[in-house]
Each structure stands twice: as C-alpha cells, then as structure tokens.
Amino acid sequence: MGLEVHVELGTKTKMFCGCSTELGAEPNSQTCPTCLGLPGSLPVVNAIGVESAVKIGLALNCEIAEWCRFARKNYFYPDMPKNFQTSQYDEPIAFNGYLDVQLEDGEIFRVEIERAHMEEDTGKSLHVGGATGRIHGASHSLLDYNRAGIPLIEIVTKPIEGAGERAPEVAKAYVAELREVIKALGVSEARMDKGQMRCDVNLSLRPNGTKEFGTRSETKNVNSLRSVERAARFEIQRHAAVLSSGGSIVQETRHFHEEDGSTTAGRIKDNAEDYRYFPEPDLVPVAPARAWVEELRAALPEMPRLRRNRLREEWGVSEHDMQSILNAGAVDSIVATIEEGADSAAARKWWMGELARNANEQGVSVDELPITPAQVARIAALVAAGDLNDKLARQVIEGVLAGEGTPDEVVEKRGLKVVSDEGALGAAVDEAIAGNAAIADKIRGGKIAAVGALVGAVMKTTRGQADAARVKELILEKLGVSEG
C-alpha cells in the first residue's frame, strides 16, 4: 500500500502568481495570464508556500533539501490550462521521513515518508448532462480555473508493508494523524470535506514469500477518513478476488463511491516517464538556508500525538475517551474552554455532550457551531456557582446556538436562573408535601428513596429551575428525616 496525500495550503495567493485563493468566488474571476498559462507570462514562487513545505517536511521527520527545483509534468486535460503542471520530480524539497501513528488498540505503527514536494493544483471541471456528475455520459463540461495554481504539498509514503489485514486501519490512522499535524502547523485547515486534503490510495497484492510488487491500482481523491479505510479494504478484496480467479490486475486509476464503498475503473495509469518531466526553465532553484530551516524547526509546535498524550494525562481520561474527543474534533475547543477558566471535566462534559449532539444533528464539526469556548466556559461557571443546573444550562446552550445572545443574555431573556430564594423553595416544598401526604408518610417511615417523587413535584412547580439537591435537603428537614 502507498498513500499520496495532497494538502492545499492556506496561502492568500497562488503558488506562482498573485491571484487570490479565497473560496466561493465567481468562476474564472481569480485568474491571470500566469495561472492561465498565457504566452509571455512568468511564474514567481510563493515564499509562504516554500516555508509551509519546509515546516511540513520537518514535522514529518524529513531531510530538507539544500537545493531543489521545479519540473514540468506534462499531460493534457481540459482543467490544466498550461497543458503541464508545475511540480517537483526527482528533487523534492523534503524526503526520507516518517510519521508514527497510533491504532485504536494503542499499537504504534511507523509509516515511512518517501517525499513531500511542492506543486500547483489544477482547475475544476463540471461535467453537465450525465447522471453521475462524471465525464462519462455528460453532454458538455464547464471549466473553472480559480483553483488552477493554488499551492499544494503532495506527501508520498514509501510502500507500507507489514500491516497485513490491518492495512485499511493503518491507512485511516495515517491520514488522520497527518491531518492533525497539518492543522497544528497552521499551514492549512486540512478540511477533507472541502477538498483541502485529498488522498490517493495505491494498492497491490503479491503472493506470500515473493519480493516483487504486484500490479497496483490507484483510487483517486478520497475525501474522508472513513472513505480512506473503506477504499483500501475494497481494493484489497477486489484484487484478491481477481487474482484468486486467475485474472490480472489492470494498472489504472479508480473512482471511489461513497454510497456503497466500492470503486470503479477510471483511466489506464501512465508511468512517471510518460509525463515527460523536465526542469522548469522559468523558475530558479530553491535553496533553503540551513539557519532558516533550523529556525523553523525550533519554532515547530508540539506534535499532535505528544500533545494528546500530555492532555490525556492532565485530564485523567482513558485512551478510548481521548480517541472519542479526537474523533469529535473537540480537542482544541476543550483546551480553549479550559484556558477561559473552566475546569477540564466541565469543558469535556459540554463539548462532548450537548454540543457534540448538536453538531451531529447539523452535520458539522463542533468547532463550526456558533458558540465560543469563552461562552461555554461562562455556562460552566454559572453551573458551578449554582445559578444554573444542567437542565437550564442545556437551554442556555440552545439559546446561544439560536443566536439569542451571550449566555447571560439568554439567561435574562428566558428567565432561566435557578430558584435560590429559600422562602420560595420552602413554599414549593410545603405544597409538594401537602399534596402528596401518602408519600410523605412513607419517607417518615424510613423509605428515603420515595423522596424522589416529592423532588420531582417541586421541580415541576419551579419549572425545573430549582437546585434538586437543595430541594431534597429541605424536604427531609421538613419531614424530620435524616438521610444517614
């Protein structure tokens, strides 16, 4: 198995020109002679793109080239306006690295990195008239070159061997960890659902005991962690079935289908020499100064796996719970909420409970919800102070998410504060005892568990805005019963 991951960098301008990279603009409105490949235009390398590439290489334990250059990768496709892609071939900026990933049972698996190189993205084709949105069956295609020239880093693994039947799990864990590394570096949001990070899954099978690799397939542009795992598993099973029946694998690209986890044939895959690579004559070589590289190395943030292990120990949670927090994308939100003054247990409780539920219902990640860590910390503080109970706090969260204002404004508008006036609580307790004389007698007779019914009656009277623990204390006091 080999994995090729394309990461779209979060630079403000394209890799070789000054056009904006902002998403959502009108088609073909963010183009210029350079990214359209018009005669006489000349590229200039994006300095932040080079810096981002070096940071990624360092984070992946790669060697950073003292001298490297760009190459032209020649192929002809409508979304490639120049009829070649400016990339790097035999001289990448980063090479020979590794990334340790943790599998679900805690095992650490090392994925070796062949290279990480700089290149540019292609334009985007929209195939119109077909049933699938693909070119087959379409009546015509539309082309948007806004994406052409956006900086990419392609990260290529060495052949991943030794994973056995866990290969699909390793693939998913590797892409997940790589995504966290990219986000930690701040060079890209790495949103797979927005195409900012895409994975090509290369697979081949060979008989046990042989050294030569079998013919591979390449499943292109897989755009979710779950899909990476499913694509790898499907291709392993497909290859095995073909080979077991005496057939031969065709070296080709494959399309992944989210609806059933299958892949279908794309195009026959060319070998590298068919791209007729040659050095890009319009760009000077890139030679990162060693002192600058070391400055970048010294400024690298704490790597995600080390950070997770540290936080897991600080928070006192299990590996399973930490994995759940990671899967929910809530690590940074919880950390930020703690930094705003909440204790770690409260921060985890609200982000992994009510807020995770809301995110799931809306089909977004928790950090996309319209609520800030500071607001969650304020809600936790109101609960800790006894001004809110959990039920009321959930209503406050609901109000903040609905755009009704800050937590304090929602409390005020909805009248959600806990009833703490002892006189009002005492009156509600007296009413509950008088209206449930038989239950009160049971409690006096020693059946303390029956107090729950009276607590429920008081909570109903106060619309859930009483402190249940204090209500229970008052009931037992008035009935002259000790819980001990």
Side-chain angles (χ1 to χ4, degrees), residues 95-415:
F95 55 93
N96 196 28
Y98 65 87
L99 181 63
D100 289 333
V101 302
Q102 187 167 335
L103 305 184
E104 288 192 4
D105 62 357
E107 179 186 343
I108 303 298
F109 191 98
R110 174 162 292 185
V111 177
E112 295 189 334
I113 307 295
E114 176 73 36
R115 56 195 280 138
H117 67 258
M118 300 178 284
E119 61 184 25
E120 60 181 339
D121 210 344
T122 62
K124 187 175 183 180
S125 299
L126 177 64
H127 304 298
V128 182
T132 63
R134 301 191 187 280
I135 194 168
H136 302 292
S139 60
H140 62 284
S141 298
L142 301 176
L143 293 163
D144 178 8
Y145 290 120
N146 282 351
R147 197 176 69 182
I150 284 183
L152 291 179
I153 304 297
E154 181 175 354
I155 302 158
V156 182
T157 69
K158 293 180 180 179
I160 300 170
E161 302 181 75
E165 64 183 14
R166 302 190 75 178
E169 183 186 349
V170 169
K172 177 184 178 182
Y174 166 74
V175 177
E177 190 66 20
L178 181 58
R179 183 182 66 174
E180 293 303 308
V181 169
I182 298 299
K183 288 166 61 180
L185 293 173
V187 298
S188 172
E189 292 181 356
R191 290 285 301 274
M192 297 188 77
D193 58 320
K194 292 185 177 179
Q196 295 169 339
M197 185 168 168
R198 313 188 288 274
C199 180
D200 299 340
V201 181
N202 293 269
L203 270 165
S204 67
L205 299 187
R206 63 184 177 189
N208 282 326
T210 61
K211 292 186 176 180
E212 186 176 347
F213 289 130
T215 303
R216 66 184 171 90
S217 63
E218 181 180 6
T219 305
K220 301 287 288 184
N221 295 327
V222 185
N223 63 0
S224 77
L225 299 179
R226 178 169 177 262
S227 295
V228 168
E229 182 175 25
R230 294 172 78 201
R233 180 167 288 112
F234 182 88
E235 280 298 285
I236 290 171
Q237 294 170 345
R238 185 182 70 84
H239 281 227
V242 170
L243 295 172
S244 297
S245 65
S248 298
I249 299 297
V250 176
Q251 184 166 316
E252 63 187 356
T253 62
R254 309 277 298 179
H255 298 301
F256 179 73
H257 301 283
E258 295 278 354
E259 59 273 14
D260 60 4
S262 68
T263 70
T264 54
R267 60 180 174 86
I268 302 299
K269 178 66 175 177
D270 297 326
N271 290 318
E273 56 267 24
D274 293 325
Y275 288 123
R276 295 181 292 111
Y277 282 100
F278 64 85
E280 168 57 71
D282 292 335
L283 287 168
V284 297
V286 176
R290 295 299 93 181
W292 178 61
V293 170
E294 292 310 311
E295 283 178 18
L296 293 178
R297 190 194 305 276
L300 289 177
E302 184 179 21
M303 287 297 100
R305 191 168 66 85
L306 299 177
R307 179 182 184 233
R308 287 197 303 273
N309 289 339
R310 174 178 61 79
L311 291 174
R312 182 176 58 78
E313 291 184 9
E314 288 179 4
W315 296 348
V317 299
S318 66
E319 288 273 9
H320 179 269
D321 288 344
M322 196 68 200
Q323 189 61 47
S324 297
I325 293 170
L326 179 65
N327 292 344
V331 175
D332 290 339
S333 297
I334 292 171
V335 169
T337 303
I338 294 169
E339 289 173 351
E340 291 288 348
D343 66 63
S344 65
R348 294 195 310 274
K349 169 184 173 180
W350 293 113
W351 283 108
M352 293 302 295
E354 190 68 11
L355 291 166
R357 182 184 65 76
N358 271 277
N360 287 337
E361 288 176 356
Q362 296 178 40
V364 299
S365 58
V366 289
D367 59 0
E368 291 182 279
L369 291 172
I371 189 169
T372 66
Q375 290 171 331
V376 176
R378 177 57 182 158
I379 292 169
L382 290 170
V383 173
D387 293 327
L388 295 176
N389 56 30
D390 283 3
K391 179 181 177 182
L392 296 175
R394 284 192 289 273
Q395 293 181 53
V396 175
I397 288 173
E398 177 187 283
V400 174
L401 294 177
E404 296 174 18
T406 67
D408 290 284
E409 289 169 345
V410 173
V411 168
E412 185 67 28
K413 289 176 184 176
R414 294 195 177 194

